[in-house]
PDB file of all heavy atoms in Angstrom:
ATOM      1  N   GLN A 540     -15.560  35.004  -6.961  1.00 61.00           N
ATOM      2  CA  GLN A 540     -15.945  36.404  -6.809  1.00 61.00           C
ATOM      3  C   GLN A 540     -17.381  36.637  -7.237  1.00 61.00           C
ATOM      4  O   GLN A 540     -17.853  36.058  -8.201  1.00 61.00           O
ATOM      5  CB  GLN A 540     -15.018  37.279  -7.644  1.00 61.00           C
ATOM      6  CG  GLN A 540     -13.626  37.330  -7.068  1.00 61.00           C
ATOM      7  CD  GLN A 540     -12.669  37.854  -8.086  1.00 61.00           C
ATOM      8  OE1 GLN A 540     -12.814  38.976  -8.546  1.00 61.00           O
ATOM      9  NE2 GLN A 540     -11.709  37.043  -8.447  1.00 61.00           N
ATOM     10  N   THR A 541     -18.061  37.467  -6.479  1.00 53.00           N
ATOM     11  CA  THR A 541     -19.456  37.752  -6.810  1.00 53.00           C
ATOM     12  C   THR A 541     -19.534  38.437  -8.162  1.00 53.00           C
ATOM     13  O   THR A 541     -18.579  39.057  -8.612  1.00 53.00           O
ATOM     14  CB  THR A 541     -20.103  38.658  -5.741  1.00 53.00           C
ATOM     15  OG1 THR A 541     -19.136  39.627  -5.376  1.00 53.00           O
ATOM     16  CG2 THR A 541     -20.540  37.857  -4.549  1.00 53.00           C
ATOM     17  N   GLY A 542     -20.696  38.299  -8.741  1.00 59.00           N
ATOM     18  CA  GLY A 542     -20.850  38.881 -10.065  1.00 59.00           C
ATOM     19  C   GLY A 542     -20.523  37.862 -11.141  1.00 59.00           C
ATOM     20  O   GLY A 542     -20.873  38.010 -12.288  1.00 59.00           O
ATOM     21  N   ASN A 543     -19.865  36.791 -10.726  1.00 66.00           N
ATOM     22  CA  ASN A 543     -19.436  35.793 -11.691  1.00 66.00           C
ATOM     23  C   ASN A 543     -20.270  34.514 -11.663  1.00 66.00           C
ATOM     24  O   ASN A 543     -19.885  33.523 -12.241  1.00 66.00           O
ATOM     25  CB  ASN A 543     -17.987  35.387 -11.420  1.00 66.00           C
ATOM     26  CG  ASN A 543     -17.034  36.361 -12.076  1.00 66.00           C
ATOM     27  OD1 ASN A 543     -17.463  37.169 -12.902  1.00 66.00           O
ATOM     28  ND2 ASN A 543     -15.778  36.273 -11.708  1.00 66.00           N
ATOM     29  N   GLU A 544     -21.379  34.549 -10.937  1.00 72.00           N
ATOM     30  CA  GLU A 544     -22.130  33.309 -10.719  1.00 72.00           C
ATOM     31  C   GLU A 544     -22.422  32.577 -12.019  1.00 72.00           C
ATOM     32  O   GLU A 544     -22.155  31.396 -12.169  1.00 72.00           O
ATOM     33  CB  GLU A 544     -23.470  33.572 -10.010  1.00 72.00           C
ATOM     34  CG  GLU A 544     -23.343  34.005  -8.583  1.00 72.00           C
ATOM     35  CD  GLU A 544     -23.329  35.518  -8.456  1.00 72.00           C
ATOM     36  OE1 GLU A 544     -23.068  36.204  -9.476  1.00 72.00           O
ATOM     37  OE2 GLU A 544     -23.570  36.006  -7.343  1.00 72.00           O
ATOM     38  N   GLN A 545     -22.988  33.333 -12.922  1.00 75.00           N
ATOM     39  CA  GLN A 545     -23.441  32.687 -14.146  1.00 75.00           C
ATOM     40  C   GLN A 545     -22.252  32.141 -14.934  1.00 75.00           C
ATOM     41  O   GLN A 545     -22.254  30.981 -15.344  1.00 75.00           O
ATOM     42  CB  GLN A 545     -24.195  33.711 -14.998  1.00 75.00           C
ATOM     43  CG  GLN A 545     -24.975  33.057 -16.083  1.00 75.00           C
ATOM     44  CD  GLN A 545     -26.027  34.008 -16.643  1.00 75.00           C
ATOM     45  OE1 GLN A 545     -26.333  35.053 -16.032  1.00 75.00           O
ATOM     46  NE2 GLN A 545     -26.577  33.657 -17.787  1.00 75.00           N
ATOM     47  N   ALA A 546     -21.245  32.989 -15.086  1.00 76.00           N
ATOM     48  CA  ALA A 546     -20.056  32.572 -15.839  1.00 76.00           C
ATOM     49  C   ALA A 546     -19.445  31.348 -15.180  1.00 76.00           C
ATOM     50  O   ALA A 546     -19.000  30.414 -15.855  1.00 76.00           O
ATOM     51  CB  ALA A 546     -19.043  33.702 -15.883  1.00 76.00           C
ATOM     52  N   SER A 547     -19.438  31.347 -13.865  1.00 77.00           N
ATOM     53  CA  SER A 547     -18.819  30.242 -13.151  1.00 77.00           C
ATOM     54  C   SER A 547     -19.537  28.929 -13.450  1.00 77.00           C
ATOM     55  O   SER A 547     -18.909  27.908 -13.708  1.00 77.00           O
ATOM     56  CB  SER A 547     -18.820  30.564 -11.654  1.00 77.00           C
ATOM     57  OG  SER A 547     -18.910  29.409 -10.896  1.00 77.00           O
ATOM     58  N   ILE A 548     -20.852  28.968 -13.438  1.00 82.00           N
ATOM     59  CA  ILE A 548     -21.578  27.726 -13.690  1.00 82.00           C
ATOM     60  C   ILE A 548     -21.480  27.308 -15.154  1.00 82.00           C
ATOM     61  O   ILE A 548     -21.308  26.133 -15.471  1.00 82.00           O
ATOM     62  CB  ILE A 548     -23.042  27.864 -13.240  1.00 82.00           C
ATOM     63  CG1 ILE A 548     -23.053  28.001 -11.711  1.00 82.00           C
ATOM     64  CG2 ILE A 548     -23.862  26.662 -13.672  1.00 82.00           C
ATOM     65  CD1 ILE A 548     -24.394  28.305 -11.136  1.00 82.00           C
ATOM     66  N   GLU A 549     -21.532  28.278 -16.030  1.00 81.00           N
ATOM     67  CA  GLU A 549     -21.416  27.931 -17.446  1.00 81.00           C
ATOM     68  C   GLU A 549     -20.040  27.357 -17.769  1.00 81.00           C
ATOM     69  O   GLU A 549     -19.916  26.371 -18.496  1.00 81.00           O
ATOM     70  CB  GLU A 549     -21.714  29.152 -18.323  1.00 81.00           C
ATOM     71  CG  GLU A 549     -23.212  29.390 -18.446  1.00 81.00           C
ATOM     72  CD  GLU A 549     -23.547  30.758 -19.026  1.00 81.00           C
ATOM     73  OE1 GLU A 549     -22.613  31.548 -19.305  1.00 81.00           O
ATOM     74  OE2 GLU A 549     -24.749  31.020 -19.191  1.00 81.00           O
ATOM     75  N   GLY A 550     -19.021  27.973 -17.195  1.00 80.00           N
ATOM     76  CA  GLY A 550     -17.659  27.468 -17.409  1.00 80.00           C
ATOM     77  C   GLY A 550     -17.534  26.045 -16.878  1.00 80.00           C
ATOM     78  O   GLY A 550     -16.931  25.173 -17.505  1.00 80.00           O
ATOM     79  N   LEU A 551     -18.153  25.848 -15.728  1.00 82.00           N
ATOM     80  CA  LEU A 551     -18.121  24.533 -15.115  1.00 82.00           C
ATOM     81  C   LEU A 551     -18.771  23.480 -16.021  1.00 82.00           C
ATOM     82  O   LEU A 551     -18.234  22.398 -16.244  1.00 82.00           O
ATOM     83  CB  LEU A 551     -18.858  24.618 -13.780  1.00 82.00           C
ATOM     84  CG  LEU A 551     -19.022  23.343 -12.991  1.00 82.00           C
ATOM     85  CD1 LEU A 551     -17.670  22.779 -12.639  1.00 82.00           C
ATOM     86  CD2 LEU A 551     -19.816  23.633 -11.723  1.00 82.00           C
ATOM     87  N   LEU A 552     -19.931  23.848 -16.572  1.00 83.00           N
ATOM     88  CA  LEU A 552     -20.624  22.922 -17.472  1.00 83.00           C
ATOM     89  C   LEU A 552     -19.766  22.594 -18.686  1.00 83.00           C
ATOM     90  O   LEU A 552     -19.703  21.448 -19.135  1.00 83.00           O
ATOM     91  CB  LEU A 552     -21.937  23.546 -17.940  1.00 83.00           C
ATOM     92  CG  LEU A 552     -23.147  23.227 -17.077  1.00 83.00           C
ATOM     93  CD1 LEU A 552     -24.322  24.101 -17.491  1.00 83.00           C
ATOM     94  CD2 LEU A 552     -23.504  21.753 -17.204  1.00 83.00           C
TER      95      LEU A 552
END
Side-chain angles (χ1 to χ4, degrees):
Q540 290 164 61
T541 40
N543 276 347
E544 291 93 342
Q545 194 163 346
S547 149
I548 293 173
E549 281 167 358
L551 177 61
L552 269 170

